[in-house]
Amino acid sequence: MFDLSGMTALVTGASGGIGSAIAQALAGQGARLAVSGSNMEKLEAFRSGLGGDHVALGCNLSDAAAVDALVPQAVEALGGKLDILVNNAGVTRDNLAMRMKDEEWSDVIRINLEAAFRLSRAALKPMMRARFGRIISVTSVVGSTGNPGQANYAASKAGLAGMSKAFAQEVASRNITVNLIAPGMIRSAMTDALNEQQRETILSRIPSGRLGEGSDVAAAAVYLASREGGYVTGQTIHVNGGMAML
């Protein structure tokens, strides 16, 4: 079940915590990957560690021309087809709304939302031809709940949800699904640096009593990418340990 053998995938932000877990899980189920990121040295090291015949493609997601070129590059590198797109890359530029600079707003919207739109739009072309595709975008619990100091980030993640639902309705008849995964608090270098009091405060908000792992998010991605997930579209899978029951 959930065998991805013979399928190809493009994963953005692939050398980061959640992105690397998703990429490893997809590769582990047999998919051939194009992994993308902005740090080519780190990306190449990650690609090498995956083993297999995967490719690394650098891309600055704040550069519209580079974003528009990424899917065609991935299709060519992966042998002429793209079955799965994972929009995982994202940035934060946190500030209180009344102090937020224009560039802090525009940078986050450009990378988190506009780049995902451009990549999804481009991916639909080979997917429509093949009459098969899986588009998965990584959003966040704050896209549903909001969060102080993150008006830009919350807006970008909420925008992904609305955009994905529109895409899903447009392409469902072609056996293309468009879904989202919304992680809550996932273990990372940032959470590892928290002191005991900060950690206890966070855990008190999570009914399951633990932080999530990248593998928790990756498992949802594998399901949504699989043939078995073909009747699920326009949905958000919340992976947050009960932190927000939406």
Side-chain angles (χ1 to χ4, degrees), residues 24-42:
Q24 288 166 346
L26 295 179
Q29 293 301 110
R32 183 176 178 228
L33 307 185
V35 292
S36 182
S38 57
N39 185 328
M40 277 304 297
E41 183 178 354
K42 185 177 180 182

Side-chain angles (χ1 to χ4, degrees), residues 7-21:
M7 297 172 70
T8 61
L10 169 62
V11 182
T12 67
S15 58
I18 289 176
S20 63

Side-chain angles (χ1 to χ4, degrees), residues 39-88:
N39 185 328
M40 277 304 297
E41 183 178 354
K42 185 177 180 182
L43 193 65
E44 278 289 358
F46 174 70
R47 181 205 60 78
S48 178
L50 278 177
D53 186 24
H54 307 293
V55 296
L57 300 172
C59 185
N60 175 5
L61 292 185
S62 66
D63 181 340
V67 173
D68 288 342
L70 181 57
V71 167
Q73 290 171 352
V75 170
E76 181 178 1
L78 295 172
K81 69 173 188 144
L82 180 64
D83 300 300
I84 305 159
L85 168 65
V86 181
N87 292 309
N88 166 72

